[in-house]
Amino acid sequence: FYLREGSSNGGDGKRIYPVFVVLTHTGTVLSNIIKNFTGNPYSHASISFDSSLRNMYSFGRKFKNNPLIGTFVKEDINAGLFEDVKDTASYSIYVTFVTKKELDLMKEKLHYFLIRKDELKYNFTGLIKHTLGMESEREDAYFCSQFVDTILRSSGKTYFNRHSSLVKPYDFAKHKDFYFVAKGLLKNYDKEKVDRKVQQIFNKINVVE
């Protein structure tokens, strides 16, 4: 869905689109390792252009029963690994707002990943370097927050003044351009509640004269 930015001259304004960053912690072995390394409550980050969270994108396990093989993944809160851990997995969702041009640029970059998905790997080496404060630059391997920041940067905006491989999932929660929407257990996720809160946030930050 989209929101309409008000115009002080009486016009209809322009369409503004929400982009969601979803932070999760599933309690799996790998997610607990990442959580312990970062010291943050969430170990995984995904990006979505749809508040239903049926179409989220990230880097994670290719097979839900094997954490050692990772790749680019399309995620759904009602399917795959999330379905298995839904009763205990926690989430926190944040929203930022972009123009149609910025949204199109992000989706164009996402399409690049979609058509190359069979060539892509999870950046385990980059994750280790990340804990040491070292950058990781590979065209065929990413970890979750690195990927999310890469998609966001493709809009032309730079959200963090550091390399994408040094961005942690919880960094999005602390950034001024990402507004907290809701948190809780995945099993209790309520799209309609989220949509109402997004509208309230948008109205609050976009004061129409």
Side-chain angles (χ1 to χ4, degrees), residues 23 38 40-42 45 92 94 145 168-175:
L23 306 183
T38 63
N40 298 138
Y42 299 98
S92 189
Y94 298 81
S145 50
K168 300 187 292 290
Y170 203 59
D171 288 342
F172 297 103
K174 299 182 290 184
H175 195 285

Side-chain angles (χ1 to χ4, degrees), residues 16-31:
I16 298 295
Y17 296 80
V19 174
F20 301 96
V21 171
V22 186
L23 306 183
T24 51
H25 181 66
T26 59
T28 60
V29 173
L30 181 59
S31 67

Side-chain angles (χ1 to χ4, degrees), residues 12-86:
D12 290 334
K14 62 182 178 180
R15 292 181 178 182
I16 298 295
Y17 296 80
V19 174
F20 301 96
V21 171
V22 186
L23 306 183
T24 51
H25 181 66
T26 59
T28 60
V29 173
L30 181 59
S31 67
N32 284 332
I33 290 172
I34 295 172
K35 183 178 179 179
N36 290 334
F37 265 122
T38 63
N40 298 138
Y42 299 98
S43 52
H44 185 64
S46 310
I47 191 168
S48 180
F49 306 112
D50 174 8
S51 61
S52 73
L53 305 189
R54 301 299 303 271
N55 297 287
M56 300 188 294
Y57 303 92
S58 188
F59 270 71
R61 60 180 68 194
K62 185 173 184 178
F63 307 107
K64 65 180 182 179
N65 295 321
N66 188 343
L68 300 179
I69 301 177
T71 186
F72 170 75
V73 289
K74 179 177 178 293
E75 300 169 324
D76 179 340
I77 64 165
N78 295 314
L81 175 65
F82 286 129
E83 182 181 27
D84 292 347
V85 299
K86 202 169 186 177

Side-chain angles (χ1 to χ4, degrees), residues 64-120:
K64 65 180 182 179
N65 295 321
N66 188 343
L68 300 179
I69 301 177
T71 186
F72 170 75
V73 289
K74 179 177 178 293
E75 300 169 324
D76 179 340
I77 64 165
N78 295 314
L81 175 65
F82 286 129
E83 182 181 27
D84 292 347
V85 299
K86 202 169 186 177
D87 288 345
T88 55
S90 57
Y91 80 93
S92 189
I93 184 171
Y94 298 81
V95 67
T96 191
F97 300 100
V98 300
T99 65
K100 181 65 164 60
K101 180 180 179 181
E102 291 165 343
L103 181 68
D104 287 345
L105 288 169
M106 282 190 276
K107 288 186 173 181
E108 182 179 328
K109 185 68 172 180
L110 176 61
H111 180 69
Y112 170 78
F113 282 89
L114 285 166
I115 63 176
R116 296 181 64 235
K117 62 182 182 180
D118 294 334
E119 307 167 24
L120 300 170

Side-chain angles (χ1 to χ4, degrees), residues 135-150:
E135 295 181 4
S136 174
E137 187 71 65
R138 292 183 60 183
E139 287 295 321
D140 65 341
Y142 296 77
F143 53 83
C144 64
S145 50
Q146 178 186 10
F147 164 75
V148 171
D149 188 59
T150 297

